[in-house]
Amino acid sequence: MNNEQPIIVGLDIGTTKIAAIAGRKNEFGKLEILGFGRANSNGVKHGQVLNIDETIKAIAVALENCIASNPDLQIKEVYVGIAGHHIKSLQTRGDIVRQSNEEEISQREIDQLIADQYKTYIPAGDQIIDVIPQEFTVDNFQNIPNPIGYGGVKVGANFHIITGDKNAIRNINRAVEKSGLQTKDLVLQPLASAAAVMGQEDIEAGVAIVDIGGGTTDLAVFYEGILKHTAVIPFGGENITNDIKTGLGVLKTQAEQMKVQFGSALSNEAKANAFITIPGMRGLPPKEISVKNLANIIQARMSEILDFVTYHLKQVGMDSRMLNGGIVLTGGGSQLKHLIQLTEYVTGLNARIGYPNEHLASNHTDELTKPMYATCIGLILKGYDDYERNRKLFTKQFKMVEIPKELKKEIQEAPVQDSVAADVKEEPVEVTARTRKLAGINGFWSKFKDNLIDLFKEEEDKNF
């Protein structure tokens, strides 16, 4: 264990779950997880914090579980993921004429170029979250990844600007601060997930990260080492659960458990002779549900989500010839059976599941390598990039904090149903299946500029 590295905590405030993970890099540059906690999320809808009190309670439970997994931890600062319908992006262009063109281009000039983009006009009520430089130009030379050290009269760049609703950003900060924590930085969730599941070769080859969460599906597209596009699609796993609930006339908890245990994203792969028996309510007879019908409902909604992905890829000119790395599916919703086949059919691109073990040490329990924790792992990686590049001040915790035994082996108690589940209760829902037998049957974050979290703090927040 390398005790000279800071302990960084990622806090993923999602629609269906809130996860807190504490990590520290070892001497080999791999993340070792020192604490892990999660809780069901009740105050968040479609990626936005709507009920601050409920969100605070859920954050408190996640933190308690994280500290319970390792009592030596002290959590004060967190990196927080941000997503939701309100997230938008736009492309801009910026140039500066250099005052002294006899010297090489410096980091100070690049910082000035980026800072100027924060003055870009955006609609009232929105706020710039991040300014991400893409290709640089120096005089007549184009497509320069890093212009520092070049000489020239004029330097410019194309920028990808990410904006969000001021009230949504304020609600996140209030929930975190009223939980006794300080927000170190807000990070766009698809970028955090991408950092956790991708290597440098993926970014160079061209890849689309599709993070299927509970309330939203986040998209990030990379090509030749550059972030080309980001988008938030307003559908996720909770929409599938609600479709099942409405279409089959069952309780939401039953719909969720059926989706996780028996659901398939391809109706052709579901057995026509398989049925699920749901206990009847208050003396009513049990209800039998066809696994085929369940798959039809799931496929319809997942196809709609993937149609949105295809639309966004076409909008930015990214087709099968450009994205050699294909589509990487991550998030809780990526665990649906046969989703890879459906994705390849709808988009025409190769697909795979992205697990957040690209940068994790190898001695951790399988629970931590599930796609649903990709955002949280990516938030820690963002923190380490800030630390290694001296973007922010960190208090180094030199105390000995070992990896808990529980995180080195299989977690004994049954975990809360993950996938895209919303609020599966701890009491088991009586869902049984029977089959009618017929005859025989890193350097990732270096490309992104951190935003100033102080911009989000307002004077009125001190009253809370």
Side-chain angles (χ1 to χ4, degrees):
M1 174 62 67
N2 187 355
N3 289 295
E4 295 185 0
Q5 300 275 35
I7 296 173
I8 295 175
V9 181
L11 182 65
D12 179 12
I13 303 176
T15 303
T16 57
K17 70 159 192 332
I18 291 179
I21 299 180
R24 170 187 274 167
K25 278 192 178 180
N26 61 18
E27 60 270 27
F28 306 109
K30 294 290 187 180
L31 273 187
E32 293 189 334
I33 303 305
L34 306 179
F36 165 67
R38 61 162 288 173
N40 286 334
S41 178
N42 298 318
V44 182
K45 297 294 180 187
H46 302 297
Q48 288 183 245
V49 175
L50 298 183
N51 188 321
I52 295 178
D53 288 341
E54 288 292 335
T55 305
I56 291 169
K57 291 176 185 175
I59 292 174
V61 172
L63 286 176
E64 286 171 9
N65 291 337
C66 186
I67 293 173
S69 72
N70 194 336
D72 293 333
L73 282 175
Q74 294 179 348
I75 301 176
K76 296 179 181 177
E77 298 177 327
V78 290
Y79 276 79
V80 184
I82 183 169
H85 296 179
H86 62 98
I87 298 293
K88 301 189 235 7
S89 63
L90 64 144
Q91 300 293 125
T92 64
R93 171 77 194 179
D95 298 275
I96 56 172
V97 177
R98 304 182 63 221
Q99 295 178 346
S100 176
N101 53 29
E102 295 179 359
E103 298 177 1
E104 294 83 10
I105 295 171
S106 66
Q107 182 65 51
R108 180 184 58 81
E109 291 172 298
I110 302 303
D111 291 343
Q112 180 60 48
L113 188 61
I114 293 171
D116 289 344
Q117 300 310 303
Y118 279 90
K119 301 171 186 175
T120 301
Y121 170 78
I122 57 173
D126 283 354
Q127 188 168 320
I128 292 177
I129 296 173
D130 215 346
V131 173
I132 301 166
Q134 296 175 319
E135 310 96 335
F136 287 91
T137 60
V138 177
D139 293 342
N140 294 325
F141 296 96
Q142 298 181 346
N143 298 327
I144 299 171
N146 185 0
I148 294 175
Y150 280 65
V153 176
K154 186 171 76 169
V155 59
N158 296 323
F159 292 92
H160 187 78
I161 296 181
I162 298 167
T163 68
D165 180 74
K166 285 183 179 178
N167 288 329
I169 293 168
R170 189 184 297 119
N171 284 349
I172 290 177
N173 282 317
R174 283 179 178 169
V176 172
E177 289 169 8
K178 290 171 77 172
S179 300
L181 301 169
Q182 180 183 345
T183 304
K184 194 78 170 176
D185 203 355
L186 285 176
V187 182
L188 191 65
Q189 286 187 10
L191 298 184
S193 299
V197 303
M198 286 198 314
Q200 188 60 33
E201 63 277 7
D202 294 310
I203 304 176
E204 296 294 336
V207 68
I209 305 294
V210 179
D211 184 349
I212 308 170
T216 61
T217 297
D218 305 325
L219 173 67
V221 184
F222 298 87
Y223 180 66
E224 291 185 345
I226 296 168
L227 175 68
K228 287 290 188 181
H229 185 63
T230 56
V232 177
I233 297 164
F235 301 112
E238 208 170 40
N239 296 95
I240 298 173
T241 302
N242 288 330
D243 290 347
I244 296 169
K245 170 179 172 288
T246 305
L248 299 179
V250 296
L251 297 176
K252 190 172 183 179
T253 51
Q254 294 171 332
E256 178 60 39
Q257 203 160 21
M258 281 194 293
K259 177 184 69 178
V260 173
Q261 293 183 15
F262 311 114
S264 169
L266 271 183
S267 61
N268 289 341
E269 295 292 334
K271 293 180 180 178
N273 60 321
F275 290 79
I276 304 165
T277 302
I278 301 289
M281 290 181 61
R282 299 187 181 278
L284 293 175
K287 180 181 292 188
E288 287 194 342
I289 291 168
S290 165
V291 172
K292 189 89 169 177
N293 288 343
L294 176 66
N296 280 324
I297 293 171
I298 295 172
Q299 180 176 339
R301 180 64 78 173
M302 279 308 312
S303 295
E304 183 181 17
I305 293 172
L306 292 170
D307 283 339
F308 272 101
V309 171
T310 305
Y311 168 79
H312 281 286
L313 293 178
K314 287 181 178 177
Q315 285 290 97
V316 292
M318 292 288 147
D319 55 18
S320 57
R321 293 168 297 174
M322 309 283 279
L323 297 179
N324 293 323
I327 289 179
V328 178
L329 300 162
T330 191
S334 67
Q335 297 173 98
L336 272 172
K337 297 183 186 72
H338 306 117
L339 181 57
I340 291 177
Q341 293 95 314
L342 179 66
T343 302
E344 292 180 339
Y345 174 74
V346 173
T347 65
L349 292 162
N350 292 326
R352 66 180 174 88
I353 303 297
Y355 296 96
N357 53 11
E358 182 80 22
H359 307 281
L360 270 185
S362 59
N363 57 343
H364 289 299
T365 172
D366 291 341
E367 176 75 7
L368 292 170
T369 61
K370 288 183 177 178
M372 64 190 303
Y373 300 119
T375 297
C376 230
I377 301 294
L379 292 171
I380 300 174
L381 293 172
K382 166 65 166 115
Y384 260 100
D385 191 72
D386 284 349
Y387 168 70
E388 290 161 359
R389 297 176 186 276
N390 295 317
R391 290 199 189 109
K392 295 182 182 294
L393 294 175
F394 288 84
T395 55
K396 295 182 180 179
Q397 301 178 21
F398 292 104
K399 60 185 290 189
M400 287 289 290
V401 180
E402 298 291 340
I403 302 174
K405 291 181 180 179
E406 291 77 12
L407 300 183
K408 287 185 178 180
K409 59 183 180 181
E410 286 292 332
I411 297 176
Q412 297 301 315
E413 69 265 18
V416 179
Q417 291 290 352
D418 40 312
S419 185
V420 279
D423 46 2
V424 178
K425 297 180 180 177
E426 293 188 6
E427 307 91 63
V429 180
E430 292 183 33
V431 181
T432 59
R434 68 180 180 85
T435 303
R436 289 179 179 168
K437 294 184 180 179
L438 300 177
I441 326 243
N442 188 352
F444 174 83
W445 285 110
S446 62
K447 300 183 184 297
F448 304 105
K449 178 72 177 174
D450 60 306
N451 60 302
L452 302 175
I453 200 65
D454 294 334
L455 291 174
F456 302 142
K457 296 184 184 298
E458 297 192 7
E459 200 66 33
E460 67 192 51
D461 291 344
K462 296 179 181 178
N463 299 325
F464 290 87

